[in-house]
Amino acid sequence: MNEKLNGTVDRILFQSSENGFSVFILQLNSKDSTAVKGYFPAVQPGQEVSLSGRWVFDQKFGRQFEAIECQAVLPTSINGLKKYLGSGMIKGIGKVYAEKLVNHFGQDILDIIENNPEKLKKVDGIGSKRVQQIQDSWNSQKEISNIMIFLQDKGISTAYATKIYKTYGQKSIAIILENPYKLAEDIWGIGFKTADQIACKISIAKDSIKRIKAGICFAVTTEISNGHLYVELQELKEKAHKLLELELFDETIFKQAFHELYNEHKIKLITSREKHFITLTQYYFSEKGVASKIKTILSRKIVHEFDIDKIYKEINIIKTGDIQLNENQIRGILGCLQNKITIITGGPGTGKTTLIKKLLQILDNNKINYKLAAPTGKAAKRMIESTGKYALTVHRLLEFDFNKMGFLHNEQNVLKLDFLIIDEASMIDIFLAHAILKACPIDAHLVFIGDVDQLPSVGAGNFLNDLIQSQKVACIKLTEIFRQAQDSLIIVNAHRINNGEFPVSFLPNSKRDFLFIKEEFPEKVTEHLRTIFFNTLKQYKISVDQSILLVPMNRGTVGTHNLNHNLQAILNGAKDRPQIMRAGFIYRSGDRVMQIKNNYDKSVFNGDIGNIENIDHEEKKIFVRYYERIIEYDFDELDELVLAYAISIHKSQGSEFSAVIVPIFTQHFTLLQRNLIYTAITRAKKLCIFIGQVKALAMAIKNNKSIARKTFLREFLTMDLECR
């Protein structure tokens, strides 16, 4: 039989935004208190609660009350009001103002905030702006609380309440009741399973056509997240059936679902090699749009005529620095001038930067209007450093329009330029490629520079490789390693790995900028890291801020999650710094963090790395510095950030670090591929350290069979392939 317990929440010991699990101290009376654990709507210090549950004994924490139900009411005592308002729940009120407000208005304070907020100005330091902030926060908290109670009743984590409210506002509950599957479509972080759980609670049948359609669409988007743009029809049926957990496969209802989705213009069908492939409409039009614009650009005559013979003679006479351009570099430069679209690809040390610098010199001499861009901030910054010319990210080049929720530069408002040169082009996914091409003038020249042997883009598609494979555009591959680059073991070993050869730790007259620490036990990696960060890096005169761990996967002993936890303790363990816990992770002032989704509102993008400058509990904000900018995050936006002392190799694309440390063990076997290791080593400028098993590294180098992405760009460029 359940027992009842009443009291006031004294302090929160743990609160997970992921599943709503909380542990807090409950004050029973003036003397007695107890620990309480359970899944609750977001309780706050100072709240009075009525609990139903049972007493349990925890070996570590002793006697606790395990609550099954929790009814929270607003506090009435002076002490409870101070704790409640000082908890940071309401923006504009921290501990200091909570004390002032309760001292001034006493037990009437909540009624005044609710009904007469203008009276708050009577308290010293509170003006119109803060009153408005308090009022807005109070009203939104009430709405969020209603959603939390609704979600809890449906067995869903309260962590999603704020996101849902931000997306739908006061229509939130009505929209959820009408079609809970919209949550998976509209709100980042909410997947089909969560939406389906709500649907089940509001009595949507398992074989409902609405549910089948949502399952099909989610199965497609899951493949998109894996890099594919299409799913073979039979494979899609199997994936959707498994996702929907139906006992029997009903061909009739699936056929109806596909027909309805097609008639609603939500999916497209492509038939190729007697197989049917399905994608969502927006993905089809992105890839088809890329192919169409490329064909249009290639069909136009060149507007800017260059004196190629004269330029060729000048290139052969004039040296760039101390480096004589080789024939491939010269072909690359002339190709950029003679072709509407050109790809320059090559590994480290093959002279891509030298080629760009010489090309820009020629463009300057001919008074050609050009722009330089790269997919990430770090890549753009590196472009500036290497060329001495201004470069910016592709997103900033295209300029995001918040009113239209799209790029300002598009087919109706093209960029004003004659040449567009984009570095790190292997990172460009099909959606960004489409945006670039829409904004590119038809008469302009496009130059894509990248290393096609690296990992493909994090986003869906295989733009650069498909473009090369189509053989519709000029492509020059630089293969010769320059003499100046041959004294670097990083560069030598990058090419060895790319050629399927094991790296070496010593060559005569070479810098010792590549180290391989052999270790059979993954749990000993943290010991090696402590030595590297406090000793090895100092020997190479490299700071901790200039170094990073690049890891094949996120989970496991040597995954990013565990290594970030360990490195935070080693490198930023000062607990007296401002900090906040969310979803079981601690975010602390000074931590290195990474943005993991594109946020156009803040102009920060997936893969951007910054440092936490401050955490303001009163304003419920966290401040992160990216390069020269400081970006504000609300506490409920922290799921967009992860610790970044260690990041996945995929997320490192386009970045460069003075020191790169790569743990590699057979527990990563599912991801051990040659292009993964090649990408990791090419991120290092001054020092690359591998830690791990010789067997694991050998497995990766041997495995040159990367998963082929399901795309049709090459076919769109080379044949009349259409959807149905």
Side-chain angles (χ1 to χ4, degrees):
M1 184 176 175
N2 288 339
E3 294 189 45
K4 301 288 185 181
L5 203 62
N6 299 312
T8 303
V9 178
D10 183 58
R11 64 185 186 277
I12 308 292
L13 301 179
F14 176 80
Q15 199 167 55
S16 169
S17 63
E18 214 165 58
N19 57 18
F21 180 75
S22 301
V23 181
F24 60 84
I25 299 298
L26 185 71
Q27 196 70 40
L28 301 172
N29 51 49
S30 59
K31 293 182 180 178
D32 299 324
S33 63
T34 187
V36 176
K37 66 179 181 179
Y39 296 85
F40 317 110
V43 293
Q44 300 291 339
Q47 274 187 326
E48 294 173 11
V49 292
S50 177
L51 306 171
S52 175
R54 63 192 179 95
W55 291 98
V56 295
F57 188 85
D58 187 282
Q59 287 187 341
K60 186 175 181 181
F61 299 104
R63 190 169 182 257
Q64 294 179 319
F65 190 79
E66 186 175 64
I68 298 169
E69 293 181 359
C70 171
Q71 289 185 330
V73 295
L74 294 175
T76 54
S77 69
I78 295 296
N79 188 49
L81 286 165
K82 287 180 178 178
K83 283 189 175 181
Y84 180 68
L85 292 175
S87 66
M89 184 193 74
I90 299 172
K91 287 182 182 179
I93 303 179
K95 290 182 179 179
V96 173
Y97 280 110
E99 186 84 19
K100 286 183 178 182
L101 288 166
V102 177
N103 286 343
H104 191 281
F105 296 107
Q107 293 175 321
D108 296 330
I109 180 59
L110 298 184
D111 180 65
I112 286 168
I113 292 174
E114 173 79 30
N115 299 308
N116 296 293
E118 287 298 313
K119 287 187 177 181
L120 299 176
K121 293 179 184 176
K122 293 180 180 180
V123 174
D124 185 44
I126 294 184
S128 298
K129 186 178 178 181
R130 190 176 290 270
V131 168
Q132 189 63 52
Q133 186 182 29
I134 292 169
Q135 190 177 13
D136 291 344
S137 182
W138 175 261
N139 290 333
S140 67
Q141 282 297 328
K142 285 195 301 180
E143 291 293 336
I144 292 168
S145 180
N146 289 335
I147 299 168
M148 282 180 172
I149 293 167
F150 174 81
L151 291 175
Q152 189 187 37
D153 183 54
K154 304 295 178 279
I156 304 300
S157 162
T158 57
Y160 299 123
T162 305
K163 284 186 173 186
I164 294 170
Y165 178 71
K166 278 188 172 182
T167 305
Y168 303 132
Q170 294 183 349
K171 297 178 182 177
S172 298
I173 293 176
I175 288 172
I176 293 170
L177 289 171
E178 168 64 25
N179 182 11
Y181 296 106
K182 271 188 70 64
L183 297 174
E185 294 177 22
D186 299 341
I187 300 174
W188 184 80
I190 295 182
F192 176 82
K193 290 287 186 185
T194 301
D196 198 41
Q197 193 174 338
I198 297 174
C200 180
K201 291 282 186 178
I202 60 175
S203 302
I204 292 178
K206 290 195 77 172
D207 61 352
S208 153
I209 192 70
K210 185 184 291 185
R211 183 171 184 264
I212 304 296
K213 285 159 65 177
I216 290 169
C217 289
F218 187 76
V220 176
T221 55
T222 300
E223 290 301 293
I224 300 298
S225 69
N226 293 327
H228 305 289
L229 282 170
Y230 301 84
V231 193
E232 196 271 321
L233 179 59
Q234 189 57 41
E235 182 186 347
L236 176 58
K237 287 179 180 178
E238 292 169 4
K239 287 179 181 292
H241 184 253
K242 184 178 180 181
L243 175 72
L244 293 163
E245 297 177 341
L246 299 171
E247 290 183 11
L248 297 172
F249 181 83
D250 186 339
E251 182 70 44
T252 304
I253 196 168
F254 267 87
K255 192 173 183 179
Q256 181 188 346
F258 278 112
H259 276 298
E260 288 191 15
L261 287 169
Y262 182 81
N263 291 333
E264 292 164 3
H265 305 292
K266 289 188 175 179
I267 63 170
K268 292 290 184 183
L269 171 71
I270 284 182
T271 301
S272 175
R273 302 183 195 92
E274 298 183 354
K275 284 189 175 183
H276 303 300
F277 295 86
I278 301 291
T279 186
L280 299 188
T281 300
Q282 61 266 37
Y283 304 143
Y284 166 78
F285 281 117
S286 289
E287 194 173 49
K288 187 70 175 174
V290 166
S292 177
K293 186 61 181 281
I294 287 172
K295 286 180 179 179
T296 302
I297 292 173
L298 292 175
S299 69
R300 302 280 289 203
K301 290 183 178 180
I302 292 175
V303 174
H304 303 283
E305 295 286 349
F306 296 91
D307 190 335
I308 298 299
D309 289 337
K310 181 182 176 184
I311 291 170
Y312 180 76
K313 289 175 183 176
E314 288 176 354
I315 290 174
N316 275 300
I317 295 170
I318 302 170
K319 292 183 178 180
T320 304
D322 295 323
I323 302 173
Q324 179 69 49
L325 295 175
N326 62 34
E327 281 301 316
N328 262 358
Q329 287 175 305
I330 295 171
R331 281 180 57 234
I333 292 169
L334 299 181
C336 294
L337 302 175
Q338 293 175 297
N339 297 293
K340 295 297 297 295
I341 302 176
T342 310
I343 295 172
I344 307 293
T345 182
T350 57
K352 295 192 296 292
T353 299
T354 305
L355 185 156
I356 298 172
K357 287 169 72 174
K358 185 61 184 174
L359 173 62
L360 296 182
Q361 183 185 331
I362 293 167
L363 296 179
D364 284 334
N365 292 342
N366 285 270
K367 296 182 171 53
I368 299 295
N369 178 21
Y370 61 83
K371 291 190 185 297
L372 308 179
T376 67
K378 280 201 170 184
K381 187 178 179 182
R382 197 167 67 249
M383 213 174 180
I384 294 170
E385 292 168 351
S386 63
T387 65
K389 303 291 184 179
Y390 183 66
L392 65 172
T393 64
V394 172
H395 292 88
R396 288 189 180 169
L397 172 74
L398 302 180
E399 297 181 61
F400 195 76
D401 185 340
F402 296 106
N403 295 321
K404 297 180 180 178
M405 290 307 291
F407 288 114
L408 183 64
H409 291 288
N410 50 38
E411 52 268 75
Q412 281 82 42
N413 181 30
V414 297
L415 295 161
K416 292 179 172 58
L417 50 79
D418 302 315
F419 264 72
L420 177 56
I421 302 167
I422 299 180
D423 199 8
E424 294 287 357
S426 63
M427 294 183 65
I428 299 174
D429 63 28
I430 199 66
F431 312 117
L432 191 57
H434 192 211
I436 292 166
L437 286 158
K438 283 195 293 184
C440 185
I442 293 175
D443 291 329
H445 290 242
L446 259 171
V447 180
F448 294 107
I449 300 162
D451 187 346
V452 76
D453 293 318
Q454 288 186 29
L455 289 167
S457 59
V458 174
N462 204 2
F463 171 68
L464 187 65
N465 193 57
D466 284 349
L467 201 52
I468 293 171
Q469 294 299 318
S470 75
Q471 298 183 1
K472 288 293 181 181
V473 301
C475 179
I476 292 87
K477 184 163 187 177
L478 306 179
T479 55
E480 181 183 335
I481 307 175
F482 279 86
R483 179 177 52 80
Q484 287 86 343
Q486 291 176 6
D487 67 348
S488 167
L489 286 178
I490 292 174
I491 291 175
V492 169
N493 283 330
H495 287 274
R496 286 180 67 88
I497 289 169
N498 202 31
N499 292 328
E501 300 170 350
F502 204 83
V504 294
S505 296
F506 174 79
L507 282 175
N509 304 317
S510 288
K511 295 180 287 189
R512 288 210 66 197
D513 55 1
F514 176 86
L515 306 175
F516 186 11
I517 300 171
K518 295 177 183 177
E519 177 56 72
E520 290 297 317
F521 302 102
E523 48 285 351
K524 290 188 177 181
V525 165
T526 302
E527 295 175 29
H528 290 293
L529 294 177
R530 192 182 294 273
T531 301
I532 290 167
F533 281 112
F534 294 124
N535 294 316
T536 310
L537 293 183
K538 289 180 180 178
Q539 295 170 19
Y540 283 82
K541 297 180 180 178
I542 298 172
S543 71
V544 171
D545 292 339
Q546 297 172 314
S547 60
I548 199 163
L549 254 77
L550 300 184
V551 189
M553 62 196 306
N554 293 322
R555 302 194 180 277
T557 308
V558 281
T560 58
H561 297 330
N562 188 54
L563 289 172
N564 270 317
H565 173 77
N566 294 344
L567 285 173
Q568 184 187 48
I570 293 171
L571 302 174
N572 192 29
K575 295 181 181 178
D576 57 342
R577 292 186 172 188
Q579 64 181 43
I580 182 173
M581 178 179 281
R582 279 292 185 274
F585 294 99
I586 293 173
Y587 297 86
R588 187 173 289 140
S589 180
D591 275 337
R592 182 193 292 168
V593 291
M594 180 173 64
Q595 176 80 14
I596 57 171
K597 66 163 285 196
N598 288 339
N599 188 323
Y600 295 100
D601 189 33
K602 299 181 189 297
S603 292
V604 287
F605 304 101
N606 190 356
D608 283 353
I609 294 175
N611 288 86
I612 297 176
E613 289 232 332
N614 189 29
I615 298 172
D616 188 328
H617 285 274
E618 182 173 307
E619 296 292 328
K620 297 179 75 176
K621 288 185 181 294
I622 186 168
F623 299 86
V624 180
R625 177 177 289 279
Y626 295 96
Y627 315 116
E628 289 79 33
R629 300 183 304 137
I630 294 179
I631 302 297
E632 295 181 10
Y633 293 83
D634 291 333
F635 282 178
D636 56 53
E637 295 176 311
L638 283 180
D639 59 351
E640 294 186 17
L641 295 174
V642 295
L643 293 176
Y645 298 103
I647 66 174
S648 71
I649 296 171
H650 282 82
K651 291 287 190 182
S652 73
Q653 290 172 263
S655 297
E656 204 172 59
F657 306 90
S658 293
V660 164
I661 305 143
V662 186
I664 181 163
F665 290 85
T666 52
Q667 65 175 237
H668 299 141
F669 73 94
T670 55
L671 290 171
L672 292 181
Q673 294 173 346
R674 186 184 300 175
N675 60 356
L676 187 86
I677 304 305
Y678 175 72
T679 300
I681 193 172
T682 55
R683 301 305 91 204
K685 286 195 295 184
K686 296 181 180 178
L687 177 64
C688 182
I689 303 174
F690 278 28
I691 308 172
Q693 299 160 333
V694 173
K695 180 182 178 181
L697 183 55
M699 283 171 60
I701 294 169
K702 184 179 179 181
N703 182 11
N704 198 29
K705 296 179 181 178
S706 55
I707 297 170
R709 294 187 169 187
K710 294 187 183 76
T711 65
F712 282 103
L713 179 58
R714 181 171 59 173
E715 285 81 356
F716 287 148
L717 287 167
T718 56
M719 62 180 72
D720 294 326
L721 184 67
E722 294 289 342
C723 78
R724 286 196 286 147

